[in-house]
Amino acid sequence: MVLDKEFLGQLLLEKSLWWCFSLSETQKGFQASKALEEKIGTKITDYETFLSCLVPESRNQVVYKLDNAGRQIKKGERILIGFKVGDQITWLINELNLTEKKGVPVAYSTCLEVSEMHELEEKLIESHSQLIIDQLQAKEEMAKKETELLQQQYSEQTQFLAMLSHELRSPLMGMNSLISIIKDRSLKREPISGQLKVMRLTIDQLNFLINDILTFSQTEFNRIQLNPTVFALDEMADYVSHLTKSIASEKGIFVSFSLNSQTNCFYGDLVRISQVLVNLIVNAIKFTEFGGVFVEIKGSDKQLELHISDSGEGIAEAELGSIFKPFKQLESKGSMQYIGSGLGLAIVKTLVDLMGGTIEVESTKGVGTSFIVKLPTKPGTCAQVKKPKTVTEPIADLPRSRTCNFHVLIADDSVINREVLETFLHQLNCTVDQAQDGTQAWEKFQQGSYDFVFLDIQMPGLDGIQVCQKIRALPVNQKKKLKGIFALTAAHTEAEVELEGIKVDKSIFDEWLEKPASQDKIIHLLECTQHASNEVEKENEQALDIEMTDHFSQTIPEELKHLIPKFIENTADEIKHLRNEIEADNEKEVRKILHRLKGNMMLFNLDYMVQIVKKLEQLDNYDDKSNVYCMVGQVEKILNGLY
């Protein structure tokens, strides 16, 4: 069957959704398809009826478009029109076009229903709007919580600053009064030992407070660093016991130390481990009125365990969860008269976490508290390994030699720091020279002969690190008497020093001291370093004696004896070159020089010198310059003996 085109066209016109409108001013007319009328449910006879079926926003849009059809309607332009059908709205996409019929302009539109799509779009828009509202509400809630948190932190820190102001001002005012009393009593030749004891206690307490504040500020800005070294366990225990003795003795309680370790030497951050131990001991002392504090240190191949127990007030179970929070201070009948920043345990927790350790606490109200700290570490190798000892007695002054008779150089741009340190050293019968800057220190060292050198890190001219590097680079015969070089710094971390533009190399110093350095610490350093220096010196002398004996007992090949002067001259030049390259951190060139030295020494059968050079070659790097220069110095001594 072949469909008639006219019939087909008529069928399409009847079934399609369309409308047209005459734009002539004199021949207004409107016509809609039957399908559109059925869709709307209304017979459309004229333009006004058509408009009455539209929702208000669509009506305004159509009127505007048709009134300005000549300028507004573009070919194929589409607009969305809504028709009211009962309580619902039918949405049609209308494609507008312009044409002419017998010279009369006509606007016509073909329509496509999109009600479901429009409804879906509205739901999406509504959902998106609700999502935005939910997000805004969530942000508002979060902002509210952050505001509350900031307010809480502000309140805590305000309280902390108020406490800090009181804690700093009270002892400082007390110190001022004590100075006046001491001055008056000294003029009257009355005893002042009691006042001096109180002043010492006050200074120790202020030091604890300031150290806590500095460490906490470093942790807040992630600037705290670990500096592991080899240390002796018993020496750390001695140092910590001396550091905490004033507070313990003032309260009339005892602190006992017990060491239980398979080895005495460990590799770890001595400063931070000591700080953890000191804070826990001081915390225990503060909350103990009767009895004492018991400290047990256990060492194994894998870790150190610090056990600190007290017979104090104990901590309520409800408070155990908050004791490691900063600015948190527990109520105590016995601790109000003692220094307390509310940072001690927070610092302990931070340092323990930083060192990869754990901390546990057990407490019974009215009975006491125990802290157990486990720190991963590993055994080290000390110059002389001593068997750990057990100390179980009240803290008291340990007997120490008060006569050292050393010649010491102090370099610091602060005259007060120099005078205090000189006073400590004079009490040990040391001879002391002072330098007010790094340049003057370097000049004095070259002119004099010193057992120990104390160098402030930040000084005008040459800084302490530069002076130390120059001293280390000197030939051994120009520093034969030197036993130790110590750094003095008010900064607690390398990052703080580097902020001043100073490149830090701690490895070149025998010890890194934070100001103020106590007299006990000075005594400890001089004795420890002197002992280690004597041991190294003794070993070196023995080795040199062996080498000299071997050298003169063996026969250097006859054909090479006439080359010995040339060998000595060449080796001296090579060693000078070697020192320069070590100082410049040129590892590749250092290894080349060592290879040449070893080959030449093997020709002359200088076995001991060869062994030293081989040890230098086997080093992973040459960062530990003090150790490297020590070995180079041994080669130089043997070389000098060949003349």
Side-chain angles (χ1 to χ4, degrees), residues 34-85:
K34 291 181 180 180
L36 181 60
E37 290 177 338
E38 291 173 359
K39 178 68 69 176
I40 298 173
T42 301
K43 181 70 174 177
I44 303 175
T45 57
D46 52 39
Y47 181 49
E48 294 301 327
T49 304
F50 174 73
L51 292 178
S52 66
C53 296
L54 303 180
V55 296
E57 59 268 28
S58 295
R59 185 184 307 128
N60 295 336
Q61 188 178 18
V62 169
V63 169
Y64 178 76
K65 286 289 183 184
L66 295 182
D67 284 353
N68 300 278
R71 297 190 306 275
Q72 295 295 326
I73 296 179
K74 299 178 181 178
K75 184 178 181 181
E77 183 177 356
R78 295 179 180 181
I79 60 173
L80 180 66
I81 297 177
F83 293 89
K84 293 185 293 184
V85 181

Side-chain angles (χ1 to χ4, degrees), residues 367-385:
V367 177
T369 304
S370 295
F371 287 89
I372 301 175
V373 176
K374 297 179 180 180
L375 300 172
T377 184
K378 55 186 178 182
T381 303
C382 296
Q384 179 182 11
V385 179

Side-chain angles (χ1 to χ4, degrees), residues 77 100 105 170 247 263 330 465 507 581 618:
E77 183 177 356
E100 287 189 3
S170 297
I247 293 180
T263 179
L330 302 179
I465 293 176
S507 65
E581 297 303 330
Q618 291 167 2

Side-chain angles (χ1 to χ4, degrees), residues 287-298:
F287 291 92
T288 300
E289 286 296 295
F290 305 100
V293 178
F294 309 90
V295 181
E296 183 179 12
I297 304 176
K298 298 179 179 180

